[in-house]
């Protein structure tokens, strides 16, 4: 389903053309046109004949300057806006009457509309900023000639300085032939078209945008698209009310009055309201494209909006408004979820957009934005059309335009996720710590490798000597890898060996850098420490996901409920969020990190291996497919290890839902050896799993040391039914630690001869001596 472009006003006129717009100088000419044409005006029923309306429109277009209102576009619809304390004295009678009908209809519905609006997301904060409750009225008149197919009327209000306004519009569409017309209105929040049949005295009412959509610095209440018979000219008279900061206005609303000075409205011109910021008083004030990084699939929330930084007095106001608006546009949109389940993004609406709660904003290169000045600097650096950056109004449907934004807002409780933009997209980033200055000068290049799952190569993430230091420290410490909540020796899906490095100085440096890459404040409880991995020839790691599900957290034998808090999208849920995977050497051949479900498959839709499994079978993949994704025929993304590079991928989408597409593994080593390390970073502190882990250990899990007390090398096997799975080789005098379970059985051999069989029991001596 094709999306409408984000906020940009479809009539957005490039600056160069704006100055060419005609201005009306003489209202009398308009009025005369109406009068001469013999407008038929009755109470409650207003009919203009085509000739009258056309003349009026022509009058608008050919005029020069007209005080207290502006004017017309040179393209259809011919439109004008009436505004100011005395506009009703100036407007043609017919327009005044029609506007009054519309406004009265609005008045009748006021209570219901404001109640409905109060329930909408984003308005809960309104009270906080309530200043003096005021309601402004404004009338938009547009003539839609019969010849055009698309007839639109935009009710565009003035920018609300503190951008918390609520707008309501009523449209009175008058068919000039007297036949009923259909008016469709596009709800800026619902993002849906609503249609109504209008008889001449009917008024179509729309509860307007609860949050501002600033278009050219204006509050766009709603846009009305008029659909009618081709042979029918239409005059639309839209009455726009906008309320400043109060949902229950105490004033009586008089549609035809506004307090405050006469304000010149120039539909495409500079804002008519005062701003503390000089920047806002010029046409050069640019909008920024705002998106929330809430849905990760396809790279980003490609629903976004534009706003001008100069319209905000404080950065926190900007953040709150931009974030709530972007969130509202994203949440509940199943079409943005993009996964097999099609489940809408929803839980993230619990996330708050208040800076004080931890909401933040970043530019597209991951730089944290902290002030209006930061925003203005960014806006000034944008090429393109004033008001709308050129790439924002493009028809180009490519991922670039859909997935790009100037500002990425991140509500509190979720994390920044690097915009993927498109495969091959490159960003350079500084990994310096803003506070301590650590890693100054260390910049890396981030290249998008896959949109779904979200995978990036970070080149030059580590220096060569750091890689060497980590290898050398851990070479003597590695032992057969553990998988799962309580490591299960003997899990044959993983044949590499590993060691945990949580504290060496190099490990700490690298972990700090990884947090800076992720834009998360470093915290021990958010990481698992560096896990160093070593693969010898033929060793591999079957594709899996790095996050825990209630199923895999059980560790195959541990309490199934051991870890019940594994749904990160739930309140306080925590799980692995991102993996920063480090390549410590160039693997000679094989050993690529493979992503079987990556969108790099040309047969992605409907092809082999394109579903992320089900909730209970996350990461499920047949052995034959696991082998297939590693051979050349498959187009699965395979990341070739390169010394010092890292691959970053996310196990959670931007709204903190788990992403089954993050399935990945290590292809078997064909030649040489592979040294690598992973850092798993959680979305919230991992206390919960630590508790679950000790509970599991306490019930069924055991930690046992197998010590070779003989003089021959011992091979230790885990007996999986009748299969023997090699766990590792133990040199004479050496030992290995194994995490296992009561009732599991191990077999030791030397030179192919059985030395013994050992059944694990609770309360057993944790040191098992083999041989000698
Ligand atoms: O070795 C690799 O390339 C992947 C390892 C992995 O998936 C992990 O450590 O979780
Ligand atoms: Fe993994």
């Amino acid at each position: 389903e094709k999306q409408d472009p984000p906020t940009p006003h479809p009539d957005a006129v490039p600056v160069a053309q704006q100055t060419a717009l005609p201005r009306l100088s003489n209202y009398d000419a308009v009025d005369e046109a109406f009068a001469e044409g013999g407008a038929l005006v009755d109470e409650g029923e207003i009919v203009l004949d085509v000739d009258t309306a056309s003349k009026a429109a022509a009058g608008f277009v050919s005029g020069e300057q007209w005080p207290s209102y502006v004017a017309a576009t040179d393209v259809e619809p011919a439109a004008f806006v009436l505004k100011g304390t005395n506009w009703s004295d100036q407007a043609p009678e017919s327009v005044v009457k029609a506007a009054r009908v519309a406004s009265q209809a609005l008045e009748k519905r006021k209570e219901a509309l404001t109640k409905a609006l109060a329930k909408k997301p984003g308005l809960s904060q309104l009270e906080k900023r309530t200043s003096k409750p005021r309601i402004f009225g404004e009338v938009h008149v547009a003539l839609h000639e019969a010849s055009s197919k698309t007839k639109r009327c935009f009710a565009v209000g003035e920018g609300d300085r503190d951008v918390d306004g609520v707008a309501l519009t009523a449209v009175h569409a008058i068919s000039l032939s007297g036949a009923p017309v259909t008016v469709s209105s596009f709800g800026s929040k619902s993002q849906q078209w609503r249609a109504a049949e209008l008889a001449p005295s009917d008024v179509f009412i729309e509860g307007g945008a609860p949050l501002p959509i600033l278009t050219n610095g204006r509050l766009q209440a709603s846009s009305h698209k008029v659909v009618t018979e081709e042979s029918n000219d239409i005059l639309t008279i839209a009455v726009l009310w906008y309320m400043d900061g109060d949902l229950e206005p105490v004033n009586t609303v008089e549609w035809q009055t506004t307090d405050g000075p006469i304000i010149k409205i120039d539909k495409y011109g500079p804002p008519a309201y005062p701003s503390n910021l000089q920047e806002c008083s010029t046409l050069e004030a640019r909008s920024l494209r705002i998106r929330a990084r809430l849905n990760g699939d396809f790279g980003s929330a490609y629903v976004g909006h534009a706003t001008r930084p100069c319209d905000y007095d404080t950065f926190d106001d900007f953040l709150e408004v931009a974030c709530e608006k972007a969130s509202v546009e994203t949440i509940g949109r199943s079409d943005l979820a993009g996964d097999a389940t099609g489940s809408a993004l929803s839980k993230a609406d619990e996330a708050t957009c208040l800076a004080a709660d931890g909401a933040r904003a970043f530019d597209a290169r991951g730089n944290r934005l902290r002030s209006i000045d930061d925003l203005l600097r960014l806006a000034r650096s944008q090429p393109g059309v004033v008001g709308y950056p050129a790439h924002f109004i493009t028809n180009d449907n490519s991922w670039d335009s859909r997935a790009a934004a100037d500002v990425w807002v991140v509500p509190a409780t979720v994390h920044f996720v690097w915009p993927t933009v498109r495969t091959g997209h490159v960003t350079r980033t500084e990994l310096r710590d803003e506070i301590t200055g650590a890693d100054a000068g260390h910049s890396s290049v981030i290249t998008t490798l896959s949109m779904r799952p979200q995978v990036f190569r970070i080149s030059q993430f580590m220096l060569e000597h750091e890689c060497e230091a980590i290898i050398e420290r851990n070479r003597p410490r590695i032992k057969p890898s553990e998988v799962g909540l309580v490591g299960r020796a003997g899990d044959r899906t993983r044949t590499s060996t590993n060691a945990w490095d949580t504290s060496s100085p190099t490990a700490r440096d690298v972990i700090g850098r990884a947090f800076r890459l992720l834009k998360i404040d470093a915290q021990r409880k958010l990481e698992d420490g560096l896990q160093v991995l070593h693969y010898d020839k033929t060793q591999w790691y079957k594709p899996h996901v790095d996050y825990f599900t209630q199923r895999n957290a059980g560790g195959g034998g541990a309490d199934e409920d051991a870890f019940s808090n594994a749904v990160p999208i739930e309140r306080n849920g925590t799980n692995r969020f991102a993996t920063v995977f480090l390549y410590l050497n160039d693997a000679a051949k094989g050993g690529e990190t493979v992503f079987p479900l990556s969108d790099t498959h040309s047969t992605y839709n409907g092809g082999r291996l394109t579903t992320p499994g089900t909730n209970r079978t996350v990461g499920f993949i047949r052995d034959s497919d696991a082998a297939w994704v590693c051979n050349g025929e498959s187009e699965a993304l395979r990341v070739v290890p390169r010394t010092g590079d890292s691959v970053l991928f996310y196990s959670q989408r931007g709204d903190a839902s788990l992403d089954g597409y993050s399935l990945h593994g290590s292809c078997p080593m064909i030649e040489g050896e592979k040294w690598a390390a992973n850092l798993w970073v959680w979305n919230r502190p991992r206390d919960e799993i630590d508790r679950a882990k000790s509970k599991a250990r306490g019930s069924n899990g055991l930690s046992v040391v197998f010590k070779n007390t003989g003089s021959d090398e011992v091979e230790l096997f885990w007996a999986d039914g009748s299969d023997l799975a090699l766990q590792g080789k133990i040199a004479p005098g050496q030992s290995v630690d194994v995490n296992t379970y009561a009732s599991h059985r191990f077999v030791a051999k030397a030179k192919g001869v059985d030395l013994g069989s050992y059944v694990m029991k609770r309360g057993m001596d944790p040191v098992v001596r083999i041989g000698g």
Side-chain angles (χ1 to χ4, degrees):
E1 189 196 2
K2 197 176 165 306
Q3 300 299 318
D4 265 16
T7 308
H9 196 301
D11 278 354
V13 176
V15 170
Q17 287 164 36
Q18 289 188 13
T19 50
L21 285 175
R23 302 289 153 85
L24 300 179
S25 63
N26 183 1
Y27 159 74
D28 291 342
V30 181
D31 210 18
E32 268 165 34
F34 275 89
E36 269 173 27
L40 305 173
V41 181
D42 286 324
E43 280 303 322
E45 188 182 352
I46 302 136
V47 181
L48 301 177
D49 64 71
V50 178
D51 191 44
T52 302
S54 308
K55 276 192 191 149
F60 302 154
V61 174
S62 64
E64 285 156 21
Q65 208 72 45
W66 195 22
S68 93
Y69 108 104
V70 179
T73 59
D74 53 357
V75 290
E76 218 204 344
F80 60 95
V81 179
L82 300 166
K83 174 83 180 166
T85 44
N86 58 344
W87 75 265
S88 55
D89 302 339
Q90 301 176 28
E93 250 316 279
S94 50
V95 171
V96 172
K97 291 219 167 179
R100 179 166 284 133
V101 171
S103 193
Q104 281 161 354
L106 205 52
E107 182 79 55
K108 273 191 210 137
R109 296 265 327 269
K110 185 180 74 184
E111 211 171 301
L113 288 169
T114 46
K115 270 199 189 121
L117 281 173
K119 291 195 193 107
K120 295 193 179 181
L123 285 182
S124 55
Q125 307 296 334
L126 277 179
E127 254 125 329
K128 186 180 66 91
R129 285 199 303 248
T130 299
S131 46
K132 202 173 81 187
R134 287 178 301 178
I135 296 181
F136 296 89
E138 186 173 308
V139 174
H140 299 245
V141 183
L143 173 74
H144 308 267
E145 283 174 30
S147 57
S148 85
K149 282 213 173 91
T150 310
K151 301 168 194 302
R152 287 170 184 266
C153 165
F154 294 97
V156 182
E158 280 184 86
D160 171 18
R161 267 215 300 157
D162 54 2
V163 259
D164 60 357
V166 176
L168 302 172
T169 354
V171 175
H172 195 150
I174 302 160
S175 120
L176 299 181
S177 71
V181 290
T182 304
V183 171
S184 298
S185 172
F186 190 72
S188 32
K189 171 170 186 276
S190 66
Q191 300 277 307
Q192 276 171 357
W193 287 99
R194 226 151 49 85
E197 271 274 296
L198 296 188
S201 57
D202 292 343
V203 175
F204 181 75
I205 294 179
E206 169 80 357
L211 281 170
I213 309 170
L214 288 169
T215 55
N216 283 358
R218 296 292 157 72
L219 178 72
Q220 181 187 330
S222 59
S223 59
H224 302 279
K225 183 180 168 190
V226 180
V227 183
T228 181
E229 298 287 297
E230 283 306 293
S231 60
N232 211 345
D233 278 1
I234 287 173
L235 191 72
T236 55
I237 296 176
V239 172
L240 166 67
W241 284 356
Y242 56 101
M243 307 177 197
D244 183 13
D246 200 71
L247 289 173
E248 305 290 348
V250 292
N251 327 33
T252 315
V253 180
E254 292 292 345
W255 63 272
Q256 70 273 49
T257 63
T258 60
D259 47 357
I262 293 174
I263 299 164
K264 284 187 187 171
I265 304 282
D266 179 343
K267 193 172 178 189
Y268 300 112
Y273 50 88
S275 168
N276 296 338
L277 293 160
Q278 183 55 31
E279 192 106 10
C280 245
S281 63
T282 84
L283 272 179
E284 298 310 308
R286 294 178 192 275
S287 294
L288 292 172
R289 296 162 303 168
I290 314 290
R291 285 181 173 152
R293 195 66 173 96
L294 285 171
N295 66 317
D297 293 349
F298 299 108
S300 67
Y302 63 79
V303 173
H305 64 281
T307 194
R308 303 190 324 172
C310 73
D311 289 324
Y312 301 86
D313 283 341
T314 70
F315 183 80
D316 288 1
D317 274 355
F318 160 81
L319 186 60
E320 183 181 346
V321 169
C323 164
E324 282 183 2
K325 174 143 182 51
S327 303
V328 162
E329 283 166 338
T330 310
I331 285 157
R333 296 278 303 261
S334 55
D335 55 321
L336 296 180
D339 62 12
T341 65
S343 62
L345 305 159
S346 57
K347 292 285 181 163
D349 59 5
E350 285 164 17
T352 107
C353 283
L354 295 178
D357 292 344
R360 20 232 199 277
F362 297 86
D363 71 13
R365 306 169 90 193
N367 300 309
R368 179 89 181 259
L369 301 167
R370 296 177 188 277
S371 65
I372 295 282
D373 270 346
D374 286 350
L375 297 172
L376 290 174
R377 221 171 293 125
L378 193 62
R380 285 184 206 119
S381 70
Q382 301 301 309
V385 182
V386 170
Y388 306 103
H391 41 287
F392 207 44
I393 49 172
T394 176
N395 290 325
D396 183 2
N397 228 358
S398 72
W399 294 120
D400 288 72
S401 58
R402 291 212 281 177
D406 301 315
V407 178
W408 293 97
V409 291
V410 182
T413 76
V414 294
H415 292 292
F416 176 76
V417 176
W418 278 97
T420 47
V421 184
R422 70 182 151 81
T423 304
H425 177 75
V426 169
T427 313
R428 185 175 290 278
T429 188
E430 260 286 333
L431 294 169
R432 193 175 58 88
D433 185 322
E434 283 179 40
I435 295 152
T436 67
D439 270 334
H442 190 124
S443 67
S444 289
V445 173
I446 304 180
T447 308
T448 303
L449 301 180
S450 161
M451 306 280 285
R452 182 172 78 177
Q454 308 167 91
V455 186
F456 306 84
R457 181 189 281 276
I458 321 296
S459 27
Q460 313 282 302
F461 183 76
M462 292 178 76
L463 303 171
E464 218 163 305
H465 73 82
E466 293 174 317
C467 297
E468 281 158 17
I470 292 187
I471 294 175
E472 290 327 312
R473 171 162 203 261
N474 291 288
R475 191 189 290 280
R477 309 167 74 228
I478 54 171
K479 55 185 186 181
S481 294
E482 302 172 0
V483 175
L485 179 60
V486 174
R488 268 185 306 161
D491 189 324
R492 285 160 306 150
T493 63
R494 183 170 179 182
T495 56
S496 55
T497 51
N498 78 334
W500 289 95
D501 189 341
T502 53
S503 59
S504 76
T506 318
R508 294 315 314 168
D509 278 357
V510 169
I511 291 169
R513 194 176 304 155
F515 275 105
R516 287 197 285 285
L517 172 70
L518 294 169
K519 310 294 169 196
I520 298 175
D521 292 337
Q523 244 191 80
R524 284 299 277 262
K525 283 184 166 184
L526 286 177
E527 38 116 344
D528 291 329
L530 219 53
Q531 184 185 200
V532 180
L533 301 175
H534 179 250
Y535 299 80
D536 261 330
K537 199 169 155 178
T538 75
Q539 291 186 326
W540 69 308
Y541 195 158
K542 184 174 168 171
H544 60 280
V545 291
D546 282 350
Y547 58 85
F548 296 100
T549 63
Q550 248 145 299
R551 183 173 172 81
N552 73 12
D559 187 354
E560 281 266 334
D561 297 326
F563 181 33
S564 58
N565 208 24
V567 184
I569 204 166
E570 301 289 356
R571 239 179 123 68
N572 295 322
T574 182
N575 213 320
R576 285 181 183 150
F577 164 70
T579 301
V580 180
F581 194 74
L582 315 170
Y583 298 112
L584 303 176
N585 76 338
D586 291 346
K589 203 167 171 197
E592 307 96 325
T593 306
V594 64
F595 293 85
L597 302 177
S598 65
D599 58 13
T600 48
H601 295 275
S602 57
T603 53
Y604 194 54
N605 291 313
R608 186 165 167 180
L609 270 182
T610 54
T611 51
T614 66
N615 267 351
R616 280 194 75 78
T617 61
V618 173
F620 172 79
I621 182 171
R622 286 185 301 244
D623 281 356
S624 62
D625 286 337
W628 174 71
V629 294
C630 284
N631 78 33
E633 282 159 50
S634 124
E635 291 156 309
L637 171 62
R638 289 183 293 273
V639 187
V640 176
R642 221 155 55 193
T643 311
D645 281 10
S646 80
V647 59
L648 160 65
F649 56 92
Y650 292 96
S651 291
Q652 296 177 19
R653 303 188 303 165
D655 71 336
S657 52
L658 295 166
D659 186 4
Y661 286 89
S662 64
L663 191 77
H664 64 278
S666 177
C667 290
M669 285 305 297
I670 297 170
E671 229 177 274
E673 58 173 353
K674 168 177 166 186
W675 282 95
N678 66 41
L679 180 73
W680 286 313
V681 175
W682 293 62
N683 66 302
R684 286 197 183 90
R686 37 164 290 165
D687 304 3
E688 196 55 34
I689 196 175
D690 289 338
R691 270 193 291 279
K693 209 163 167 170
S694 52
K695 188 177 156 205
R697 284 232 163 86
S699 58
N700 232 359
L702 296 169
S703 282
V704 178
V705 180
F706 287 93
K707 189 169 168 63
N708 180 357
T709 52
S711 51
D712 291 323
E713 186 181 68
V714 166
E715 287 183 316
L716 182 67
F717 298 88
W718 173 50
D720 179 10
S722 57
D723 284 352
L724 290 186
L726 182 61
Q727 296 306 291
K729 297 178 182 181
I730 314 171
Q734 298 294 306
S735 53
V736 295
D737 300 345
V738 171
N739 289 320
T740 181
Y741 295 93
S743 87
H744 278 195
R745 190 168 68 89
F746 290 81
V747 172
K749 297 185 184 200
K751 295 177 170 163
V753 177
D754 274 14
L755 296 179
S757 165
Y758 312 90
V759 176
M760 304 294 108
K761 288 191 188 84
R762 291 188 57 71
M764 67 187 273
D765 182 344
V767 180
V768 178
R769 290 169 185 79
I770 304 168

